[in-house]
Amino acid sequence: MYDLAIIGAGPAGMAAAVTAADQGLSVVVFDEQQRVGGQIFRQPPTQFTGAKTVFGAGYGWGRELIGRSESNMKIAWEFGTTVFGLLRDRVDGTVSTRVAVTGPNGSKAVAARRIIIATGAYDMPVAIPGWTLPGVIMAGAVQSLLKSQKLLSAPRLVLAGSHPLLIVVADQLRKAGADIAEVAFARGLPTMRESIGSISAVPGHVGLFAETGVAIARLLSAGVKISTKTIVTAALGDRHVGAVELTKVDAQWHEVGRTRRIETSALVLGYGFQPSTELARQAGCEMVWDSPKGGWVVAHDELMRTSAPQVYVAGEPTGVAGAEQSRAEGRLAALAVAKDLAAEGVAGPYPLADGDLRGARRELRYAQKFSVVVQRLFEPQREALSALATPETQVCRCELVTKGAICETLDRNPEMSTASAVKLECRSGMGACQGRYCESSVAALVATKRQRSVSDVGYFSAHLPVKPVPVEALTMLDGD
């Protein structure tokens, strides 16, 4: 049995792993990628000789963290491995936890005294007419292809959304040789009030702001058009994207201007990210709705403990806040695990100093000064985004459920008022992605039709397996 199992090898997972190992804990880390780094520090395969991971301004610490992680022989790294559930057993009133995994070493249930869920986030899906056409790609996916495989998604692209990552991605694509037709931002330039309110984020992050400014300057000098208060309303094409429609919007992102058409071979959508919380939901952790943080996030105490016994959380599942805060939360969660195990008298050298936890909390508060500003500035206008879908637009792309079908379901069932009820009635969210693509759209439709808040409408429940896995992986559980 391991002292600690960590799910995810991004900044939160890496920081938790090296911190826990330094405290003398036995640690295993599971990740679906082949190397540490997560999405932000996605590394190319080792076979790509000469290809190096790029660390932007403000992320120089990433190189050191990756180095400490990869050189730490005390940590058991299991890459290319999918965690598809947490198994809870209760014997004589004592709860034990095992992590159900499948990967190159087969399928198994790994026992651990404590679990840290550091599963990161994924691109926020927005259903617009034509969004299921080949050639419509999320910003994170485009960047991942570029970072890990050195591949351009398409020769000519339009980028549309509201997240500052779009600027970074556009600059990276242009450097790699792509023709950026336009970058369309749904929001306008920051107001004077917003600028003054953002001052607290500047200390310690000057390099990051400067790098973004330089990227904008490079794009403009290269002739790239950057539009504000402009939203993409449709992707057009027969078998592939050939053009997109862009429309001017007001401050709440409602359409106010004429629609124009622009030719392109790909549309990159970037409205932000949603926390990956499926494992936390399956484990029974309490969830909280927080739109600026990305939607449904995992509730936790000041030491990153969730409401589920023995389960902790770190990084984006607590709210999308960036790599710096993820690293701080990972370190704090690992120290909390060491503290709690020591209190239970679990054998092991736990030299936890009184100042360690104070230092970790201080580091987290510092990171939050930046993340809170970014979350507030770039919170998506969810009601306006939900209104972009037409009755014919597929909301659930796995089960081919349209917005019209969901609205008809709600009309037929006036007592239906939750996202999960809609899922059970018309199968939206029951496909391979298990609602990752459609949950937010379904919840927004229910909230609008019933005139309730999204927090009242709720979220899809998650069941084992939380991700598609071979049947063989499930047979492993037989008899346990």
Side-chain angles (χ1 to χ4, degrees):
M1 174 186 288
Y2 288 95
D3 291 326
L4 174 62
I6 300 170
I7 306 161
M14 287 190 292
V18 296
T19 301
D22 288 346
Q23 295 296 321
L25 303 183
S26 58
V27 183
V28 61
V29 183
F30 304 104
D31 195 282
E32 293 180 343
Q33 301 304 316
Q34 299 300 323
R35 304 180 68 182
V36 301
Q39 178 66 22
I40 183 73
F41 302 129
R42 178 71 67 90
Q43 300 190 82
T46 53
Q47 296 88 342
F48 284 22
T49 56
K52 296 182 179 178
T53 304
V54 177
F55 298 91
Y59 296 115
W61 51 264
R63 191 190 311 278
E64 186 264 344
L65 182 57
I66 287 176
R68 287 182 63 198
S69 299
E70 291 187 325
S71 63
N72 194 320
M73 297 296 104
K74 298 177 183 176
I75 301 170
W77 300 96
E78 296 209 15
F79 295 115
T81 300
T82 297
V83 175
F84 61 93
L86 298 183
L87 309 174
R88 314 300 294 273
D89 301 311
R90 185 182 295 273
V91 178
D92 297 331
T94 302
V95 176
S96 61
T97 304
R98 291 174 298 155
V99 185
V101 304
T102 184
N105 297 322
S107 303
K108 55 191 176 183
V110 180
R113 292 187 173 88
R114 293 293 188 275
I115 311 291
I116 294 179
I117 297 175
T119 42
Y122 50 86
D123 290 275
M124 174 183 167
V126 176
I128 64 172
W131 78 302
T132 55
L133 279 170
V136 179
I137 320 170
M138 298 297 182
V142 171
Q143 191 184 48
S144 177
L145 276 175
L146 200 58
K147 284 182 176 179
S148 63
Q149 301 299 316
K150 307 302 175 187
L151 288 176
L152 271 179
S153 307
R156 179 177 168 84
L157 309 96
V158 170
L159 291 85
S162 58
H163 198 274
L165 177 67
L166 280 183
I167 289 294
V168 177
V169 173
D171 190 43
Q172 291 171 341
L173 290 170
R174 190 197 61 78
K175 286 180 181 175
D179 174 16
I180 307 300
E182 184 166 339
V183 182
F185 275 99
R187 62 155 296 146
L189 295 173
T191 64
M192 182 62 71
R193 183 176 181 180
E194 289 175 329
S195 299
I196 294 172
S198 304
I199 290 176
S200 61
V202 174
H205 302 96
V206 174
L208 187 59
F209 286 114
E211 186 175 71
T212 304
V214 170
I216 292 173
R218 275 197 297 258
L219 290 169
L220 292 174
S221 64
V224 175
K225 182 177 182 179
I226 301 178
S227 306
T228 57
K229 291 188 176 181
T230 302
I231 205 165
V232 60
T233 52
L236 309 173
D238 182 12
R239 301 174 65 87
H240 193 280
V241 172
V244 298
E245 288 183 349
L246 299 175
T247 305
K248 278 290 183 184
V249 294
D250 62 16
Q252 284 71 49
W253 303 5
H254 295 129
E255 299 175 45
V256 294
R258 293 176 57 187
T259 297
R260 58 188 171 91
R261 173 178 170 139
I262 183 168
E263 309 296 322
T264 184
S265 51
L267 168 63
V268 180
L269 294 174
Y271 287 97
F273 299 91
Q274 293 189 160
S276 177
T277 58
E278 298 78 19
L279 276 172
R281 297 184 193 190
Q282 188 259 316
C285 299
E286 180 185 349
M287 307 294 295
V288 179
W289 173 256
D290 193 323
S291 180
K293 290 184 177 180
W296 290 103
V297 302
V298 183
H300 59 87
D301 68 9
E302 62 176 11
L303 290 180
M304 313 310 295
R305 305 184 189 100
T306 73
S307 60
Q310 304 172 353
V311 178
Y312 301 64
V313 67
E316 312 291 43
T318 70
V320 178
E324 187 179 32
Q325 184 166 325
S326 294
R327 176 187 59 163
E329 290 185 351
R331 179 168 176 252
L332 179 58
L335 291 173
V337 169
K339 171 185 169 66
D340 292 346
L341 287 179
E344 293 177 9
V346 175
Y350 306 119
L352 187 63
D354 292 340
D356 287 346
L357 283 170
R358 288 199 299 273
R361 290 196 189 101
R362 187 165 56 247
E363 183 180 323
L364 177 56
R365 288 194 296 271
Y366 176 79
Q368 286 171 334
K369 289 183 179 179
F370 177 76
S371 63
V372 168
V373 169
V374 174
Q375 290 163 351
R376 187 174 61 239
L377 273 178
F378 298 101
E379 178 187 0
Q381 299 284 348
R382 296 177 185 273
E383 181 185 352
L385 292 177
S386 175
L388 293 174
T390 65
E392 296 76 25
T393 303
Q394 286 181 6
V395 170
C396 173
R397 57 194 307 162
C398 298
E399 295 290 323
L400 309 181
V401 181
T402 65
K403 176 181 178 179
I406 293 173
C407 291
E408 290 172 9
T409 298
L410 290 168
D411 290 340
R412 287 198 312 271
N413 301 277
E415 77 289 350
M416 188 177 287
S417 60
T418 67
S420 280
V422 173
K423 174 184 176 181
L424 293 173
E425 178 71 12
C426 64
R427 294 195 59 79
S428 58
M430 288 192 177
C433 87
Q434 299 186 26
R436 292 175 180 84
Y437 274 100
C438 68
E439 180 190 73
S440 59
S441 297
V442 171
L445 287 173
V446 177
T448 300
K449 294 279 280 185
R450 297 292 182 255
Q451 296 185 329
R452 306 180 71 191
S453 66
V454 174
S455 60
D456 290 334
V457 167
Y459 51 84
F460 293 165
S461 55
H463 304 283
L464 188 151
V466 299
K467 288 189 175 180
V469 293
V471 173
E472 179 272 337
L474 301 178
T475 62
M476 172 271 298
L477 305 177
D478 186 30
D480 280 352

